[in-house]
Amino acid sequence: MEWIINTVYYVIPFLLLLGVLVFVHEFGHFIVARKLGVSVSAFSIGFGKELWSTTDKQGTVWKLSAIPLGGYCQFLGDADESSTTEVDLSKYTEEEQKHLFATQKPIKKLAIAIAGPFFNYLFAFFVFFGLFYFVGTYEVPAVVTGVIENSPAEKAGVKVNDEIIEVNGVEIKEWNDISKEVSIAVDNVTLKINRNTEIITLTMPLEYMEYAFDETEEPIKRRMIGIKGEAKKFGKIQDNFNFILSVKKSFNELYSVTEMTIRGIGQIISGERSGEEVGGIIRIAEMSGDISKTRGFLHFINFMALLSINLGLINLFPIPLLDGGHVIIYLLEIVSRRELNAKIKEYLFKVGLGFILFLMVYATWNDVKHLITRWFE
């Protein structure tokens, strides 16, 4: 019976999450390619053996495949899903050649490459807007309402009713700002506090502690300092049905998540943060399951929006095989007014593939260690 419950809470939400985000990303490539006159041979959710397919009037095969860990939008003339190989034009009629991806000008290729990440951001924007406009927002005051016993915060001297005005030198306007800055901190957290008009500064280490948002949730171990704020859930209505404010808040959320992700990755590259924090598919499945099991639908789609931003941003990194790698190549071709040497492209794509495979293996190893730790502690 338990395995059925875990399937409902972990497997199904994960497949839904991944399916939606892959569809959004690849649909961005698809729709812009179509608008620019490029024929799309196949649009697949998943890889490997085809489970179901249908062909539309323009010849695109829409399909679901057996391995639900990604997807692709394959253009006419591509020998593989990554659009990285040379095309034998002799196999196509003069009319078909006009609609091959390979024969398009670099500016069109650039637009198609950017479209995937752009749609990820667009999707996240509409999710945030829908939540803010139709459900409401929560701007919880940056005031401590509780200090966990034996936590770093208690040991450092944080007290109830302390107003947090800075975290690690960053100005705090509301409680969510505290959560973001603490989550991106490396080892220690420095709080500037307004306590009855007296400004004091306290520094404390981050420690792994078990925490649940309320009594209905299972405690989850995470790095924290041990302070609580006013309870916040999407059920709290504030400033909803305000179109302009909802748009503004949505853009602010896009910027905030992007900035935090870039800072976090920069800290890992510089060695400030442990590489063990790099997670992959298993970690995403775990997080989506935890959220769907304990926090409900609204938090799940909010998590989907956050992940969509991360997917769009990471795909823009200048790594060959990712959209960002293609973007760099097309920009070089636009500036130089000539196509990059085929052998150079092939070499770059091989390097990119090797790097991506390494990251996948490394992230999976971290995920497995994390799961083992969670199961046995």
Side-chain angles (χ1 to χ4, degrees), residues 169-188:
V170 178
E171 182 183 2
I172 299 300
K173 295 180 180 179
E174 53 110 8
W175 190 268
N176 200 38
D177 295 335
I178 300 174
S179 302
K180 290 175 181 178
E181 291 304 320
V182 170
S183 70
I184 206 68
V186 180
D187 295 313
N188 296 319

Side-chain angles (χ1 to χ4, degrees), residues 159-170:
K159 299 181 182 298
V160 173
N161 294 324
D162 280 351
E163 180 187 3
I164 312 298
I165 56 178
E166 281 188 12
V167 174
N168 288 344
V170 178

Side-chain angles (χ1 to χ4, degrees), residues 46 89 188 190 205 211 264 316:
L89 297 180
N188 296 319
T190 298
Y211 178 75
L316 285 175

Side-chain angles (χ1 to χ4, degrees), residues 130-137 234-238 240-241 298:
L131 290 173
F132 294 151
Y133 186 76
F134 294 106
V135 180
T137 63
F234 281 112
K236 181 174 180 178
I237 307 299
Q238 178 178 319
N240 57 324
F241 307 122
L298 291 177

Side-chain angles (χ1 to χ4, degrees), residues 275-377:
E276 293 185 358
E277 295 187 33
V278 176
I281 291 294
I282 297 175
R283 189 79 58 89
I284 293 171
E286 180 189 9
M287 293 173 68
S288 63
D290 287 340
I291 291 171
S292 65
K293 189 175 183 179
T294 63
R295 303 187 65 189
F297 177 71
L298 291 177
H299 286 278
F300 178 75
I301 62 172
N302 183 66
F303 176 67
M304 187 181 290
L306 298 177
L307 202 60
S308 188
I309 295 173
N310 281 292
L311 177 62
L313 178 62
I314 290 171
N315 264 279
L316 285 175
F317 287 175
I319 300 171
L321 270 187
L322 296 183
D323 293 324
H326 288 287
V327 166
I328 296 299
I329 289 173
Y330 302 145
L331 287 174
L332 289 173
E333 291 180 345
I334 291 172
V335 172
S336 64
R337 297 186 179 180
R338 61 180 181 179
E339 190 170 352
L340 197 64
N341 183 276
K343 290 185 177 180
I344 294 177
K345 282 186 183 180
E346 184 178 357
Y347 173 77
L348 289 174
F349 290 133
K350 286 181 179 178
V351 171
L353 177 61
F355 182 71
I356 291 170
L357 289 175
F358 166 76
L359 280 182
M360 289 175 62
V361 171
Y362 183 64
T364 302
W365 172 247
N366 285 342
D367 290 350
V368 170
K369 288 197 300 181
H370 174 77
L371 276 182
I372 292 173
T373 302
R374 178 173 175 177
W375 287 338
F376 291 100
E377 282 194 352

